[in-house]
Amino acid sequence: MSEKINVAVLGLGNMGKTHVKAAVASPWVDKIIGFDPDKDLSAGCAEEFKINTVDNLDEILNDSTVALVYIATPNDTHVDLTERVMRAGKAVMCEKPMGENLADAKRMVDVQKETGGFLQLGFELRYSKMYAKAKEWIDNGMIGDVVNTHCRYYASEFHGKDTWRSNSPGSLIGEKLSHYLDCQRWFVNDEVENVYSIHAPKVVEYFNHPDNHQINLRFFNGAISTLVFNMFLPESDGSDPLLDVMEKQSDDGHYLQHHIFGTKGGIETDVFRRRLRRWEFTDGVKGLESKIAEIITFPKEEDLLWFHNVHDQNIRISELVAKGLPPENTITDSYETMKVCFAAEVSENENRIVKLNEL
Ligand SMILES: NC(=O)c1ccc[n+]([C@@H]2O[C@H](COP(=O)([O-])OP(=O)(O)OC[C@H]3O[C@@H](n4cnc5c(N)ncnc54)[C@H](O)[C@@H]3O)[C@@H](O)[C@H]2O)c1
């Protein structure tokens, strides 16, 4: 095993705590240093996780023992922090999105190119056991060529009044839907040629941006994808839970499903039913036949491993940095997903199909 590394976590809010927990669990991490301008939060985190915290970022930037920095701060700080940390010679894992506009995202790519450093974005759904299994089925040819993918996501309002999310000038597309658009690019395994996106009037009136989207993608290979997102309808307590009671969560208005249609079969991933299924199509005597060939379910205790697997993503990133290896998901690939997000915003604002190569 390579030597252990020291890491830092910037931003100790909801996501930052998840990053601290993963760092505590990582066999590749020695010391953990946290920084958050909210002093009470910082002190609470130091106490809860037995980590050191500092009062300003420079203490981390000037600490030559810190090899890797996890950035879990509000979206409008991602670009500047990534640049400062990378120019201080440290590896970076930054939460999505890559800033709030395309210029921000491009700057992150440029900084990585200029410094030659390690930079991976937090698209942890690529480490989800559920989506990784779907991808494995696709790559093994079990559903033939992917021609169409649908994602249906109905969520509770979990951003809250007067928070940085509700007030953000950036839309929910980069902030939230980038994960699911990234999955669609990953499943189709081709680049998006153009995007057409529309949204309806808001239900959540205190948002500074739309709360619903219908995003259509057309890939160069002819495949298409649709993502339908509505932040209303579920019965919930406002925290977008994977509810305890299976019967209720599968029937109360929460949906997060992908349907992946191939030439030889199909796949369904269903977060709220904790289930994924695979269909096989065969050429029957009377016509094309279809049967469900495989069903996988997972227990509540494993929700986060099967869905938002930040835990394994972060442990893996600490291993890569400790071993001097490059990122598993390159920043240029993540940039392609961010381009799709920003193209969808342009499409909505200008009511037209947007070709990615015009951005
Ligand atoms: N990958 C995912 O699934 C996922 C899930 C949730 C959040 N996120 C991302 O994580 C980031 C943080 O989200 P959150 O829910 O934890 O928000 P949060 O508001 O709970 O926490 C953000 C923290 O950052 C601190 N902060 C602000 N500016 C800072 C700076 N310059 N340096 C250090 N700390 C600073 C704030 O004081 C706050 O405590 C966002 O970019 C969000 O998009 C990703």
Side-chain angles (χ1 to χ4, degrees), residues 10-16 35-38 41 71-75 77-78 81 95-97 122 124 164-165 175-176 179 308 310:
L10 309 185
L12 298 170
N14 287 327
M15 203 55 193
F35 169 61
D36 194 299
D38 181 329
L41 192 69
I71 298 178
T73 55
N75 302 348
T77 64
H78 289 182
L81 288 175
E95 270 308 332
K96 53 80 206 158
E124 74 275 1
W164 63 261
R165 280 190 174 85
E175 158 56 20
K176 188 72 192 155
H179 279 307
H308 276 282
V310 175

Side-chain angles (χ1 to χ4, degrees), residues 138-313:
I138 294 168
D139 288 350
N140 289 344
M142 296 178 92
I143 64 163
D145 296 331
V146 174
V147 293
N148 198 343
T149 77
H150 289 186
C151 178
R152 171 165 68 148
Y153 187 6
Y154 300 166
S156 52
E157 197 295 271
F158 52 90
H159 286 184
K161 286 185 181 172
D162 202 22
T163 62
W164 63 261
R165 280 190 174 85
S166 296
N167 300 334
S168 167
S171 78
L172 270 166
I173 304 177
E175 158 56 20
K176 188 72 192 155
L177 305 185
S178 51
H179 279 307
Y180 309 99
L181 294 168
D182 187 58
C183 282
Q184 291 181 315
R185 281 187 58 244
W186 196 40
F187 295 149
V188 174
N189 199 22
D190 195 35
E191 288 310 339
V192 174
E193 183 178 11
N194 57 47
V195 178
Y196 181 58
S197 188
I198 50 179
H199 66 80
K202 289 185 285 193
V203 170
V204 187
E205 48 85 23
Y206 50 83
F207 278 2
N208 195 30
H209 45 67
D211 55 16
N212 68 92
H213 300 275
Q214 292 185 25
I215 305 174
N216 295 289
L217 314 179
R218 184 181 164 83
F219 292 81
F220 280 102
N221 67 6
I224 59 172
S225 291
T226 300
L227 168 56
V228 177
F229 175 78
N230 285 298
M231 195 180 250
F232 35 79
L233 186 66
E235 173 181 315
S236 91
D237 62 0
S239 60
D240 193 24
L242 287 169
L243 297 174
D244 285 346
V245 185
M246 177 74 85
E247 302 78 51
K248 183 174 180 189
Q249 75 177 13
S250 62
D251 200 27
D252 81 341
H254 280 89
Y255 287 92
L256 180 36
Q257 301 168 317
H258 286 265
H259 288 100
I260 307 168
F261 302 87
T263 50
K264 293 184 184 158
I267 296 169
E268 176 190 73
T269 63
D270 192 328
V271 166
F272 291 106
R273 289 183 177 84
R274 298 194 178 96
R275 184 180 71 193
L276 75 161
R277 300 191 285 181
R278 179 173 64 79
W279 282 254
E280 275 174 12
F281 306 157
T282 46
D283 189 14
V285 180
K286 291 185 184 161
L288 192 71
E289 290 174 2
S290 169
K291 70 171 178 22
I292 295 177
E294 210 169 334
I295 301 177
I296 298 175
T297 57
F298 53 92
K300 176 179 166 40
E301 298 68 41
E302 293 182 13
D303 277 348
L304 292 177
L305 298 181
W306 285 81
F307 182 33
H308 276 282
N309 195 358
V310 175
H311 185 82
D312 286 345
Q313 167 193 261

Side-chain angles (χ1 to χ4, degrees), residues 5 52 80 82 84 97 104 220 244 261 301 305 346:
I5 54 170
N52 294 327
D80 283 340
T82 296
R84 289 184 68 186
D104 280 356
F220 280 102
D244 285 346
F261 302 87
E301 298 68 41
L305 298 181
V346 173

